[in-house]
Amino acid sequence: MKEPLAFAATCDLVSIVRGRSLPLSELLRSPYGVGWVPANLALTSFGPIAEPNSFSSLGDLRLIPDLSTEILLPPIANGISDGSPLHLFLCNQTLPDGSPWDCCTRTHAINAIKELKEKHNIEITAAFEHEFTLTGFANGAPFSLEKLRGAEPFGSDLWHNLEANGLEPENWLPEYGTGQFEITLRPKDALRAADNAILLREIVRDTARSHGMRASFVPLPRPDGIGNGVHVHISLSRDGKPITYDPKEPKNLSLIASKAVAGILKHAEALLAFTAPSQISALRLTPHRWSSGVIAIAEHNREALLRICPLVGNDEKNHIRAFNVEYRAADATANPWLIISLLIRSLTDGLDMNEAVGEILTGETEGLPGVRLLPTTLQDELVYLAKNEKVKSWFPPQLLATHIAIRESEARVLAGLTDAEKCERYANVY
Ligand code: GLU
Ligand code: MG
């Protein structure tokens, strides 16, 4: 068998996995990974680099693989493969001397995790749920066995590829929307959960490709269609012990977790500029879509930005371990490392503020007086971000400016298109 290839990858501000390929043995031998270009951070979803951007033709970086993130993508059965799998590694972006690059999205997550640990001695466990639209198979009714079986052998193969790579799939289901499926992974520590979210998307796309199908994580396939959400379940631990559950507190949410998630609610509008950052992301986040219709924390309600998830059974030990809060307003145009870093920075800020969330909503949220609605456009999300000095302070100015330049460039590229056409443009990329 020929020497297998490795792919050293990063995930950028538009959540595209990009990188370079080289012989596996060379990557493993090199203490300084492979070369990379700073201006790549300014690439938009549609190809060209955002203009203006603060990166010039100057400068160099290194992609340094984290060997623990390795996954194997099986050879694609299209007749041109030599039979070796591709070894994919997620990398930290560093300066040429190996020191951290402050615009590296993964380093951002690592730093946020470290700060929460140092300041409050708290670790985060997270689980990502992904929805996506599959084409190239015989669709069936929502949630039906027919739909599940119609997508075979893709589904079984996907499950196997996730398991073989240690991603621990939990549920695989034929979702509500046309061609829509959902795959969930078991909870992991925050960095691993974000790494795995990035890897999962590539495994899904790759498995579909190998079956002559296509999987798209576009946030909304059509303006009147069903959205593809990314939901992030989070829970807190201290010294290895879960601390999110407390049956003496309202809706079982411990005081410390309540104070932490208050930070997410406080900064919600500005966070959306990162967790729902495409020109069509806000179209998904409207009432009656079970995505996220109101900026509130609610018990068991899929219309809330933060949902307190239900407990099953009556085993107290299991409740302590499993109790979690779900952030529902992310999509796959958002970088999972940034989603995690922003949620964690918000939790840290909530703990610094030291004030529990106000009301935890129960029942329907429709028409409730005083509840905040989500911004209806990315433009509005960016205005909230511009006014939120706290959230802005979490980023080096160059990263923040690049994020905004990308969004403005994409708005210009899509100007004049209908919402349906915009959805299609994103569906072709994601
Ligand atoms: N499709 C919904 C979304 O856009 C989620 C529905 C569900 O709760 O599974 O987020
Ligand atoms: Mg779902």
Side-chain angles (χ1 to χ4, degrees), residues 145-289:
L145 179 64
E146 188 188 10
K147 181 170 172 181
L148 186 95
R149 299 297 286 171
E152 283 300 301
F154 165 82
S156 302
D157 207 15
L158 171 63
W159 188 277
H160 169 80
N161 286 339
L162 293 169
E163 263 192 339
N165 284 306
L167 268 69
E168 298 189 31
E170 189 177 50
N171 267 287
W172 163 238
L173 59 128
E175 255 281 6
Y176 184 53
T178 306
Q180 191 182 40
F181 286 84
E182 174 168 327
I183 181 85
T184 65
L185 300 180
R186 289 195 184 281
K188 300 273 180 186
D189 71 81
L191 182 64
R192 180 67 66 205
D195 286 346
N196 285 352
I198 293 166
L199 297 172
L200 170 127
R201 296 171 193 178
E202 298 315 313
I203 292 174
V204 169
R205 291 184 178 116
D206 204 67
T207 307
R209 204 156 31 228
S210 74
H211 287 281
M213 301 161 119
R214 178 150 195 274
S216 169
F217 290 84
V218 65
L220 201 57
R222 289 195 322 267
D224 60 347
I226 308 296
N228 287 317
V230 173
H231 303 163
V232 188
H233 294 256
I234 42 183
S235 60
L236 288 67
S237 313
R238 179 171 275 160
D239 302 323
K241 294 195 186 68
I243 53 167
T244 316
Y245 175 77
D246 184 346
K248 296 187 294 303
E249 294 294 336
K251 313 300 171 208
N252 298 320
L253 186 67
S254 69
L255 189 57
I256 193 157
S258 175
K259 290 175 178 176
V261 299
I264 297 180
L265 293 179
K266 179 180 174 203
H267 297 302
E269 288 90 345
L271 299 189
L272 288 163
F274 287 91
T275 67
S278 75
Q279 301 293 321
I280 58 166
S281 292
L283 297 176
R284 172 185 151 250
L285 299 174
T286 50
H288 309 300
R289 288 181 176 274

Side-chain angles (χ1 to χ4, degrees), residues 42-46 48-53 279 378-379 382 402-415 426:
L43 287 162
T44 61
S45 304
F46 306 118
I49 287 191
E51 295 292 350
N53 72 73
Q279 301 293 321
L378 174 64
Q379 211 49 44
L382 291 169
T402 309
H403 178 82
I404 294 165
I406 287 172
R407 310 304 148 192
E408 288 169 351
S409 282
E410 292 190 2
R412 283 196 298 276
V413 169
L414 301 182
Y426 279 104

Side-chain angles (χ1 to χ4, degrees), residues 34-109:
V34 289
W36 195 240
V37 178
N40 287 353
L41 194 71
L43 287 162
T44 61
S45 304
F46 306 118
I49 287 191
E51 295 292 350
N53 72 73
S54 61
F55 303 101
S56 63
S57 53
L58 291 170
D60 289 280
L61 298 170
R62 305 299 295 179
L63 293 177
I64 313 270
D66 177 337
L67 299 185
S68 74
T69 64
E70 180 182 19
I71 60 162
L72 268 58
L73 295 177
I76 294 193
N78 58 7
I80 56 166
S81 160
D82 73 349
S84 310
L86 180 70
H87 295 244
L88 172 64
F89 297 88
L90 298 177
C91 300
N92 295 323
Q93 299 177 68
T94 72
L95 298 173
D97 65 2
S99 59
W101 185 45
D102 65 357
C103 289
C104 168
T105 45
R106 189 167 191 260
T107 302
H108 228 259

